[in-house]
Amino acid sequence: MSLLVQEFTVIAPDLLGHGDSAKPRGDYTLGGHAGRLRDLLDALGVQRATLVGHSLGGGVAMQFAWLFPERCERLVLVSSGGLGRDISPILRAPTLPGAEWVLPLLSAPWLLRRGERLAGTLCRLGLRSGPDLQELWRGYVSLGDAEVRRAFLATIRTVVDPGGQTVSALERLPALRHLPTLLVWGARDRLIPVSHGVAAQQAIPGSRLEVFEDAGHSPHLSDPARFAALLREFAATTPATDQVDRRRRRPRASRAVRRAAPQDRGAAASGRSPHDPRPRPA
């Protein structure tokens, strides 16, 4: 983000149940997250934005683009979920019966003190990327909090079951042909394989796929300078879509909008106020 804020207005909210956002019992579906993102943009006075979604955030970004096409200028999917059944056992395991009883043990103090041993286990599963291991470790540590654990399980079980991802956007991707779309993937991604990105690029006419050869599931963390330069170039060379397929617009009953409550946070996004004189975001 520090590489982009000089040129763009960058909004990076936490999803409900994630980070510093509230973690109540509630709607953790992709549609629920997309609706809260729309409410957040309304509250900030941002009419249109380029959506950038990583992993689960990619699924939320795609859902946002389908539900609110008039609010989306460009779409960037980074190692995105929702594009194929196959995913790592690490992501499938929390959906198994009884996982809510096992997860507290994984974040127990005695295990955290043996972090190197867990890191070795993850490496044997193919996760050799430094940023990937760091992010997974942060996730394991956070599961020691009961509210975080409940929100995590509520979220992952809406899109994953023991066999893999339960939500697939592949059949609907051609509908995004009018939206400038960039896909970014790590060639060494062991959580969501790069083949999902290849299939998505083939399904979206005119889309573009960039593969970071030495990156895993988080290419934006493995090479942030390259990633930021890629977003700048993508924004500069693709006109923000101004013409939305009218058949996909939903009629509005009124001009009123629902303001977001303090805990209503959306998926990763970039946007600008219509009164902001700076260039449009990436």
Side-chain angles (χ1 to χ4, degrees):
M1 289 174 57
S2 63
L3 300 176
L4 296 171
V5 294
Q6 298 302 318
E7 300 177 47
F8 308 107
T9 300
V10 181
I11 305 168
D14 293 333
L15 289 169
L16 190 72
H18 294 69
D20 292 329
S21 288
K23 299 164 182 66
R25 297 182 186 276
D27 182 4
Y28 288 93
T29 63
L30 296 178
H33 288 311
R36 283 185 290 270
L37 175 56
R38 184 274 315 274
D39 292 344
L40 175 63
L41 295 182
D42 284 344
L44 296 176
V46 176
Q47 297 302 312
R48 292 162 59 77
T50 291
L51 272 292
V52 183
H54 170 244
S55 199
L56 174 70
V60 176
M62 285 187 284
Q63 189 75 7
F64 184 95
W66 284 313
L67 292 176
F68 316 110
E70 71 279 6
R71 308 293 295 271
C72 193
E73 292 183 335
R74 302 177 187 86
L75 181 64
V76 182
L77 302 176
V78 186
S79 302
S80 177
L83 296 171
R85 178 74 166 158
D86 183 40
I87 56 172
S88 168
I90 292 175
L91 297 179
R92 300 199 305 265
T95 68
L96 292 168
E100 54 268 38
W101 303 105
V102 176
L103 288 177
L105 300 177
L106 293 178
S107 56
W110 65 268
L111 181 58
L112 297 181
R113 288 193 294 267
R114 291 174 170 81
E116 292 183 2
R117 183 177 300 176
L118 179 59
T121 301
L122 294 175
C123 284
R124 286 193 293 274
L125 291 173
L127 295 171
R128 298 181 176 85
S129 168
D132 286 356
L133 287 175
Q134 293 169 16
E135 289 300 297
L136 279 172
W137 183 247
R138 287 175 54 194
Y140 277 123
V141 171
S142 71
L143 293 176
D145 182 284
E147 287 190 345
V148 171
R149 190 163 60 246
R150 185 183 67 237
F152 167 71
L153 289 172
T155 300
I156 198 167
R157 287 173 173 173
T158 65
V159 291
V160 176
D161 66 16
Q165 294 190 93
T166 57
V167 176
S168 176
L170 283 176
E171 292 184 357
R172 300 175 63 187
L173 289 182
L176 299 177
R177 61 187 177 277
H178 299 303
L179 182 65
T181 301
L182 170 67
L183 299 112
V184 183
W185 231 277
R188 301 182 180 181
D189 193 338
R190 298 297 186 267
L191 296 181
I192 304 178
V194 66
S195 59
H196 290 199
V198 173
Q201 190 275 328
Q202 293 173 348
I204 307 174
S207 63
R208 171 181 170 187
L209 172 64
E210 288 285 335
V211 177
F212 286 34
E213 294 298 331
D214 296 326
H217 188 58
S218 301
H220 54 297
L221 299 181
S222 295
D223 194 343
R226 178 184 172 186
F227 184 79
L230 182 60
L231 288 186
R232 291 193 201 98
E233 188 264 341
F234 179 61
T237 58
T238 55
T241 181
D242 292 321
Q243 296 182 352
V244 179
D245 185 349
R246 301 293 178 178
R247 294 172 296 178
R248 299 190 67 242
R249 284 186 180 270
R250 290 174 177 243
R252 296 176 180 267
S254 70
R255 295 176 62 86
V257 297
R258 178 166 66 87
R259 294 297 181 185
Q263 70 270 23
D264 281 351
R265 298 287 191 89
S270 304
R272 75 174 179 91
S273 164
H275 306 296
D276 191 334
R278 289 175 288 180
R280 286 194 175 275

